[in-house]
Amino acid sequence: FFGKSVVVYQAAALLFAAATAHCVNLIAEHYSSRIGSMLGGSLYLVLLAMFGGGGGQSPVFYNLPMALAALGVIRTLPALRRGEAPRLLYAAMASAGFALTFKQTAICESLFLGGYVLWQLWRAQVPMARLLGIGLGMAVAGLIPSLLFAAFYALVGHFAEFWHAMVTANLLKTYNPGGDHWRRIGILTALFSPALLPAIAGVLIRGEAREAPRGFLPGWLLAGIAGLLAREPGFDGVACLPGTHTKWAHVSAGEVVSFASYMTGELFAL
């Protein structure tokens, strides 16, 4: 079983997706009834398949630490409103930082979470000097995962590759060479629209929901959209889908320009 790398990868993706759905359920309990929150977690799994997550793409993995970070912030709200900064807060920022090592556009959501925390502390009339100290502590906690990975790659002599993947590659990307970003946003909105009605209904049917943190969900949604817009909407290059018959596709301006399949996997198995 463990010798079959594809099976192991899919099993890990399944565990991550299930854990993320549970986090969504726990977050939704602050906004909806228990049944509504369970449906919210189930809806997450449905949306994964709708948006190409069935193959275990990277969002399946980095969604979990980001969801854990959001859940951590929500659970610290009572302490934040008293002007306190519990340890869970820094653990949440570290979790967001871990998501950042998967996908650098998660910086938008990370900044929102940190900003939301500082806003709650400011409303609790925390002195500015202490507020700055807490903000610095959260920033350090968020950077720790990246610093640990950077140290590891430096020790094994591959820091240049790490820096290219984390920084240089993101700065040198060609963003939307086709110039059709509004059409893409429209398509994405249409795909996501079926999820809006049950989401709105779940919020309206509060039932036994706890006190909902005001402004959190709209802010998090806007931060996620900002991260989406910061991504490369018009990938231009060659994509590889490994397998027994490896597929290579040249994608440009949202279209597959050329496609080829080779028996690489079968030849390797001989």
Side-chain angles (χ1 to χ4, degrees):
F1 175 81
F2 289 102
K4 299 179 180 180
S5 58
V6 176
V7 176
V8 174
Y9 179 82
Q10 291 291 334
L14 174 63
L15 293 176
F16 270 74
T20 307
H22 181 58
C23 284
V24 172
N25 172 34
L26 295 177
I27 292 172
E29 284 184 354
H30 293 267
Y31 293 89
S32 182
S33 64
R34 186 170 298 275
I35 295 178
S37 60
M38 291 178 62
L39 291 175
S42 301
L43 181 61
Y44 168 77
L45 295 175
V46 173
L47 291 176
L48 273 183
M50 288 177 58
F51 288 91
Q57 286 79 359
S58 59
V60 175
F61 294 95
Y62 73 74
N63 282 346
L64 176 58
M66 186 56 70
L68 286 171
L71 180 61
V73 169
I74 289 177
R75 288 189 168 177
T76 61
L77 281 177
L80 295 175
R81 289 165 180 164
R82 297 192 301 268
E84 302 171 1
R87 294 180 180 178
L88 179 59
L89 173 63
Y90 300 101
M93 294 300 107
S95 184
F98 185 62
L100 195 60
T101 64
F102 285 84
K103 194 70 174 178
Q104 289 69 61
T105 52
I107 186 65
C108 297
E109 294 170 81
S110 302
L111 289 174
F112 163 73
L113 294 177
Y116 189 84
V117 167
L118 293 177
W119 177 55
Q120 292 293 327
L121 291 172
W122 177 77
R123 292 184 62 190
Q125 299 182 345
V126 172
M128 184 58 65
R130 184 164 177 264
L131 200 62
L132 292 174
I134 294 174
L136 179 61
M138 289 193 299
V140 171
L143 285 173
I144 285 177
S146 293
L147 293 176
L148 290 175
F149 279 113
F152 169 78
Y153 282 104
L155 287 174
V156 298
H158 292 289
F159 180 78
E161 290 84 349
F162 170 81
W163 183 260
H164 177 78
M166 293 290 290
V167 180
T168 310
N170 289 292
L171 297 177
L172 296 180
K173 283 180 180 178
T174 301
Y175 292 93
N176 194 28
D180 59 346
H181 54 279
W182 288 114
R183 181 181 69 85
R184 294 173 181 275
I185 293 174
I187 293 174
L188 187 63
T189 303
L191 288 172
F192 187 73
S193 59
L196 293 179
L197 290 178
I200 294 173
V203 172
L204 294 178
I205 306 174
R206 293 293 304 278
E208 67 273 19
R210 309 170 193 171
E211 182 183 359
R214 294 183 179 180
F216 186 84
L217 278 188
W220 191 14
L221 176 61
L222 290 175
I225 292 175
L228 176 64
L229 296 179
R231 289 180 56 192
E232 182 179 359
F235 174 77
D236 195 337
V238 178
C240 172
L241 180 63
T244 55
H245 289 70
T246 303
K247 287 82 175 173
W248 296 85
H250 179 200
V251 182
S252 180
E255 298 180 356
V256 177
V257 179
S258 62
F259 183 87
S261 179
Y262 300 95
M263 298 172 60
T264 311
E266 288 191 5
L267 290 174
F268 181 77
L270 294 177

